[in-house]
């Protein structure tokens, strides 16, 4: 398998970014920008800057996760869902940590540009986001070791990314933008919950007290099902209330994926290969939901 082979430095660093997670940044930023189209002319450079800063923050957070989970003995060569550069390919832990901090510096410089062209209020929000990214697995009381990982990821990478992308274009936050961001926040949190459901056994050994561990596998799957359901029902509510166009109903083209995710988890404890299907289906639900919601809003704006 590839994980057992020597990888080039470039390919190894690419794996360390956990590229399968990066759509959780693309989707909210694009959605927030499209929502802003009905309020203001879009500044393309600010959009690109926002996307670059958010990607830098997410990749840095992933690298912090790799570093601190290794340091705490949680990650092994058999762990799933990780970049694996440290535990599988002998990447020096200090190099992963240094790269993460360099990405934070890059995000800070980009953030200065964004603030200069929007509002310096975003500086405080950006620093808070950086603190959450680091403290997710770093520091004496890592967020990832508590039941609040889903909450923090959903608020920061879901709702937060959508609203900041909207704000830098419009200089305001509207009730509509807030309401549209909520299902994205729920689904980003669902990705976190699905990871924790898969990792219940491994995380328990590592001393974590995640929401999935506190609930147990069966109740965790029920909560995940509720999160999926609320996200889709929320769109019905927004359309029925007139906040968004019926074009938003195209998100229901993705409704098969949540069912595949739940079925995968239910079968995964006796047939482990289905865990991979469940994880992939959860990620695809979040990604496709966000992109199709964006497409629906864009169509309604153009026509």
């Amino acid at each position: 398998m590839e994980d057992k082979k020597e990888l080039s430095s470039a390919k190894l660093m690419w794996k360390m970014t956990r590229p399968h997670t990066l759509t959780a940044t693309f989707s909210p930023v694009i959605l927030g920008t499209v929502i802003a189209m009905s309020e203001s002319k879009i500044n393309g450079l600010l959009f690109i800057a926002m996307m670059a800063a958010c990607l830098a923050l997410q990749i840095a957070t992933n690298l912090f996760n790799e570093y601190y989970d290794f340091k705490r003995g949680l990650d092994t060569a058999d762990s799933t869902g990780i970049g694996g550069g440290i535990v599988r390919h002998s990447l020096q832990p200090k190099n992963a940590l240094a790269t993460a901090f360099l990405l934070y510096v890059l995000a800070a410089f980009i953030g200065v540009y964004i603030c200069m062209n929007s509002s310096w209020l975003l500086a405080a929000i950006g620093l808070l986001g950086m603190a959450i990214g680091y403290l997710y697995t770093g520091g004496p009381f890592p967020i990832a070791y508590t039941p609040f990982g889903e909450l923090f990821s959903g608020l920061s990478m879901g709702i937060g990314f959508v609203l900041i992308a909207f704000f830098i274009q419009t200089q305001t936050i509207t009730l509509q933008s807030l309401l549209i961001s909520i299902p994205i926040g729920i689904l980003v949190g669902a990705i976190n919950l699905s990871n924790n459901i898969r990792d219940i056994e491994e995380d328990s050994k590592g001393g974590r007290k995640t929401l999935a561990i506190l609930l147990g596998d069966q109740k965790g799957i029920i909560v995940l099902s509720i999160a999926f359901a609320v996200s889709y029902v929320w769109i019905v509510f927004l359309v029925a209330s007139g906040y968004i166009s019926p074009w938003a109903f195209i998100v229901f083209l993705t409704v098969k994926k949540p069912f595949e995710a739940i079925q995968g988890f239910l079968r995964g404890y006796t047939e482990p290969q289905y865990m991979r299907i469940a994880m992939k289906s959860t990620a695809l639900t979040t990604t496709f939901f966000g992109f199709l919601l964006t497409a629906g809003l864009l169509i309604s704006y153009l026509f």
Side-chain angles (χ1 to χ4, degrees):
M1 294 179 63
E2 183 182 55
D3 285 338
K4 300 301 182 182
K5 297 178 181 178
E6 284 296 321
L7 298 178
S8 68
S9 297
K11 191 169 185 179
L12 178 55
M13 288 309 298
W14 173 244
K15 284 176 65 68
M16 289 290 286
T17 67
R18 302 183 184 179
H20 59 284
T21 69
L22 299 184
T23 52
T25 291
F26 283 108
S27 179
V29 173
I30 295 172
L31 176 60
T33 305
V34 168
I35 300 170
M37 291 178 69
S38 62
E39 303 282 339
S40 173
K41 183 178 179 180
I42 299 302
N43 184 316
L45 289 177
L46 277 177
F47 165 72
I48 293 170
M50 174 69 181
M51 184 69 76
C54 290
L55 284 172
L57 290 174
Q58 186 183 357
I59 293 170
T61 299
N62 289 344
L63 290 172
F64 285 134
N65 291 352
E66 295 274 339
Y67 176 81
Y68 284 107
D69 283 349
F70 166 75
K71 282 294 187 180
R72 292 186 170 93
L74 194 64
D75 282 353
T76 68
D78 296 322
S79 297
T80 56
I82 64 172
I86 297 175
V87 295
R88 296 181 188 136
H89 303 289
S90 302
L91 177 70
Q92 290 297 313
K94 63 181 181 180
N95 291 342
L97 188 62
T99 302
F101 280 119
L102 284 174
L103 286 167
Y104 263 23
V105 172
L106 173 62
F109 275 112
I110 298 173
V112 170
Y113 169 78
I114 293 173
C115 291
M116 289 175 63
N117 289 276
S118 55
S119 169
W120 286 99
L121 173 65
L122 293 177
I125 296 173
L127 289 172
L128 176 62
M130 293 170 77
I132 291 173
Y134 176 79
L135 294 173
Y136 189 77
T137 47
F141 304 105
I143 297 169
Y145 284 59
T146 73
F148 304 111
E150 289 80 5
L151 177 64
F152 277 91
S153 62
L155 285 175
S156 58
M157 293 180 58
I159 293 173
F161 281 4
V162 172
L163 294 183
I164 295 172
F166 179 84
F167 179 84
I168 65 175
Q169 301 291 343
T170 64
Q171 305 301 303
T172 189
I173 296 295
T174 63
L175 178 60
Q176 181 195 45
S177 63
L178 175 60
L179 291 174
I180 294 174
S181 72
I182 288 175
I184 302 302
I186 292 172
L187 290 174
V188 170
I191 293 178
N192 192 292
L193 178 57
S194 66
N195 289 339
N196 289 335
I197 291 172
R198 176 198 62 195
D199 295 337
I200 283 179
E201 183 177 349
E202 199 169 290
D203 286 348
S204 297
K205 294 176 182 176
R208 288 189 174 188
K209 298 294 182 183
T210 64
L211 180 62
I213 290 173
L214 295 180
L215 292 172
D217 52 8
Q218 296 299 317
K219 290 182 180 179
I221 294 171
I222 291 173
V223 171
L224 182 63
S225 303
I226 293 172
F228 286 140
V230 169
S231 299
Y232 286 92
V233 171
W234 196 263
I235 297 301
V236 176
F237 160 73
L238 291 180
V239 172
S241 301
Y243 284 107
I244 56 178
S245 161
W247 276 106
F249 282 142
I250 64 174
V251 299
F252 282 87
L253 292 175
T254 67
V255 76
K256 181 181 177 182
K257 290 299 175 184
F259 286 101
E260 290 177 352
I262 298 304
Q263 290 171 355
F265 280 119
L266 290 173
R267 298 185 64 174
Y269 289 100
T270 55
E271 301 172 83
Q273 69 271 22
Y274 282 95
M275 281 293 185
R276 186 178 297 274
I277 296 174
M279 296 299 302
K280 182 178 180 180
S281 295
T282 301
L284 289 175
T285 297
T286 305
T287 300
F288 291 158
F289 186 103
F291 283 130
L292 285 176
L293 178 57
T294 300
L297 295 178
L298 183 60
I299 291 170
S300 66
Y301 170 75
L302 294 175
F303 301 103

